Amino acid sequence: MTGTTPGRALITVPLGARSYDIHIGEGLLAKAGDIVAPFLKRPLTAIVTDENVAQAHLASLERALAAKGIRSTAIIMPPGEATKSYQHLGDLCDRLLVAGIERRDRIIAFGGGVIGDLAGFAAAILRRGVDFIQIPASLLAQVDSSVGGKTGINSPHGKNLIGAFHQPLAVIADISLLNTLPRRELAAGYAEVAKYGLLGDKPFFEWLEGSAEQIMRGNPEARIRAIRTSCEAKARIVAEDETETGVRALLNLGHTFGHALEAATGYSQRLLHGEAVAIGMVQAFRFSERQQLCAPGLAERVAKHLKGVGLPVHASQIPGQLPPPATLLEIMRQDKKAQGGKLTFILVRGIGDAFIARDVADHDVLNFLTEDLRQR
Ligand code: NAD
């Protein structure tokens, strides 16, 4: 499943005819033409990106494609979560058509999770489906959103409610791109890295406890190992349960709590997705302790680790007012992960030992939130 040469890793997501490789390494953008060219039926593509990524890296990607004789049209979207909307989806599809993208052409999603989700969904519906390649530019996108084929946009009714499963043809994760990522965004992506340790790999979490600083500072070996291990975990889970009928739900550790906080703060800069996941994971551990599912003290250990990279670990760190616990519970019920109105939580028996709990009583959650939000 994995091949590793110094400074580079190759992971296959085994999905039969839809299997694909994740290339991880330093300086891969300059070689993107070599990886992309074999997938193209003719030497033409469209690059979907956002203003920040375009400013820092678009010229390098265009050069790398041109070096292989590939003509590209760049479509530059505004940065931020608000871009995952019906309006921007429609605009993007029209611009792809104007760029002359045909059924057998491929498009490139070049950006963070917002661009990957939006461009991937546009690819899924354009001309009834064109294939696409992910070049993730944020840490969150390199370890999570670019792998696994979930694409989509937000609706006024909630996050990621409109979308499709559409696997990419390849993922190219160049760790050099992370050098221009704002530190707050880097930390937000780190929350998803820690998630893989917390949900199913205790030795990985223990390694992270000793290596987080190197990862954050940009040590290439540490970054590659963190991204490789995260992608291997995601690939394994996605291969087992592509469309989330079972085990894939484990990847939502911290997300039921976290999504409620994101919704309550309007998906704004007040709280980034990864920050919400960090707070949500600590809540999941604290709730599990309270339900006597795991040993006391683990939530504190997790919080200490996440705090160490500069992540918020408690809802009181979110600027501004939060709605009351009953409203947060109501928001959780609207989450697409709710089934028949019943909430699904990912809870833990220990570090690296998460499980899916479908029988959590509303009043237990409400009591927990009431007490948790009162603290600190
Ligand atoms: P993002 O795409 O908004 O990127 C974060 C910010 O960093 C943006 O301002 C972006 O312009 C900037 N940026 C990205 N790469 C950069 C770089 N190399 N240099 C400079 N600036 C850069 O957000 P994100 O955190 O990458 O992704 C969050 C999104 O991912 C959410 O919408 C979430 O729902 C989605 N997501 C999807 C999945 C999935 O499986 N599809 C999984 C997790 C999260």
Side-chain angles (χ1 to χ4, degrees):
M1 195 159 173
T2 305
T4 309
T5 48
R8 225 173 141 165
L10 185 71
I11 297 164
T12 301
V13 185
L15 288 170
R18 284 169 293 106
S19 297
Y20 54 95
D21 289 336
I22 306 168
H23 303 255
I24 303 165
E26 198 173 12
L28 287 183
L29 195 67
K31 300 172 193 134
D34 297 329
I35 302 172
V36 169
F39 291 108
L40 304 185
K41 308 283 185 207
R42 56 175 179 155
L44 178 148
T45 187
I47 303 166
V48 183
T49 188
D50 75 17
E51 285 155 13
N52 298 332
V53 177
Q55 194 177 13
H57 302 289
L58 178 60
S60 309
L61 177 57
E62 288 175 328
R63 254 197 319 273
L65 296 174
K68 283 275 147 188
I70 302 165
R71 274 189 303 128
S72 58
T73 303
I75 301 177
I76 302 174
M77 309 297 292
E81 188 69 29
T83 301
K84 277 175 58 173
S85 68
Y86 287 112
Q87 187 208 328
H88 288 293
L89 175 71
D91 174 48
L92 172 57
C93 288
D94 285 338
R95 290 167 77 181
L96 288 166
L97 293 173
V98 170
I101 295 300
E102 296 176 357
R103 174 73 187 81
R104 284 155 55 86
D105 291 326
R106 281 80 165 88
I107 67 176
I108 296 175
F110 183 38
V114 164
I115 289 300
D117 281 10
L118 174 75
F121 187 39
I125 58 176
L126 191 82
R127 298 186 186 277
R128 299 202 177 86
V130 302
D131 283 318
F132 79 119
I133 290 160
Q134 289 267 21
I135 306 186
S138 69
L139 180 59
L140 184 139
Q142 295 191 349
V143 298
D144 193 356
S145 60
S146 66
V147 176
K150 279 191 184 177
T151 71
I153 58 168
N154 304 324
S155 138
H157 296 281
K159 196 170 152 68
N160 297 330
L161 290 182
I162 310 297
F165 285 97
H166 190 46
Q167 300 291 346
L169 292 174
V171 179
I172 305 169
D174 180 353
I175 60 162
S176 322
L177 300 179
L178 305 179
N179 296 337
T180 57
L181 189 67
R183 196 189 148 94
R184 186 178 170 198
E185 298 288 352
L186 190 68
Y190 183 87
E192 304 279 7
V193 174
K195 181 185 78 177
Y196 293 106
L198 293 174
L199 74 87
D201 189 345
K202 189 174 179 192
F204 181 50
F205 184 75
E206 287 169 346
W207 176 74
L208 289 174
E209 286 182 311
S211 310
E213 205 181 314
Q214 290 185 53
I215 296 168
M216 292 301 288
R217 284 218 183 130
N219 175 295
E221 286 82 39
R223 278 197 176 166
I224 289 175
R225 179 164 169 189
I227 295 167
R228 190 196 74 211
T229 310
S230 300
C231 287
E232 280 170 349
K234 182 138 189 194
R236 230 178 0 252
I237 292 175
V238 167
E240 202 177 317
D241 177 23
E242 187 180 358
T243 55
E244 197 167 315
T245 52
V247 69
R248 187 165 177 169
L250 289 176
L251 295 170
N252 298 323
L253 176 62
H255 283 59
T256 303
F257 288 117
H259 272 175
L261 295 171
E262 265 188 291
T265 48
Y267 306 107
S268 65
Q269 287 294 311
R270 266 174 79 194
L271 184 68
L272 302 179
H273 175 71
E275 294 171 342
V277 169
I279 297 172
M281 289 194 298
V282 176
Q283 283 180 315
F285 269 82
R286 223 179 275 131
F287 184 69
S288 300
E289 281 181 16
R290 193 188 150 104
Q291 300 298 103
Q292 298 181 333
L293 295 164
C294 73
L298 293 184
E300 211 35 60
R301 179 173 166 190
V302 174
K304 180 168 173 251
H305 179 63
L306 298 174
K307 217 185 292 174
V309 301
L311 281 162
V313 292
H314 192 268
S316 61
Q317 292 171 270
I318 303 168
Q321 282 278 328
L322 283 177
T327 309
L328 288 175
L329 184 64
E330 202 39 52
I331 297 173
M332 288 178 189
R333 241 197 290 273
Q334 286 161 19
D335 196 291
K336 68 181 181 310
K337 285 162 193 96
Q339 283 180 8
K342 268 202 102 49
L343 291 167
T344 299
F345 283 90
I346 309 305
L347 300 180
V348 292
R349 294 189 195 91
I351 285 176
D353 190 4
F355 65 98
I356 303 165
R358 299 197 197 278
D359 53 355
V360 176
D362 278 10
H363 62 86
D364 284 337
V365 180
L366 193 59
N367 289 343
F368 167 74
L369 286 174
T370 306
E371 194 182 296
D372 194 57
L373 295 183
R374 236 196 336 249
Q375 278 172 13
R376 269 164 266 206

